[in-house]
Amino acid sequence: AVAGLPLGDGSRHADVVIADRYMPGLDGIALWDALDAARHPLAGRFILASGDSGDGSVQDFARRTGRDVVAKPFALAAILEVAERASAR
């Protein structure tokens, strides 16, 4: 699933990935799963954004992956803080 995405080899083309829980075609959780299965370095620098933080699948994602989940809407300062932490991984 990751092969068709323009993610490169995981070098510093992107500092972090911020993906929405609900995206057409490949939702954020499925994108992380694909990155992780491919052992892509961006899996470690991944942030999931969701407007439904009470969604059990979002809570399960956070528990099983240890990745950050940010609730939408979010303040710019908040997402920058989370992105800085994720990019340091």
Side-chain angles (χ1 to χ4, degrees):
V2 178
L5 299 175
L7 297 173
D9 61 4
S11 62
R12 299 312 267 190
H13 292 97
D15 291 329
V16 297
V17 172
I18 302 171
D20 195 86
R21 167 65 180 101
Y22 298 106
M23 299 185 301
L26 186 68
D27 69 39
I29 293 174
L31 175 59
W32 185 88
D33 287 338
L35 289 168
D36 186 56
R39 299 188 182 279
H40 198 287
L42 286 173
R45 302 189 311 265
F46 189 94
I47 301 165
L48 183 68
S50 177
D52 189 5
S53 59
D55 179 352
S57 62
V58 171
Q59 295 171 353
D60 178 59
F61 171 82
R63 277 192 298 273
R64 75 179 170 89
T65 67
R67 298 302 102 204
D68 291 300
V69 174
V70 294
K72 298 186 312 181
F74 45 78
L76 180 59
I79 194 67
L80 290 174
E81 179 182 325
V82 174
E84 186 174 309
R85 185 172 56 240
S87 71
R89 293 185 188 128

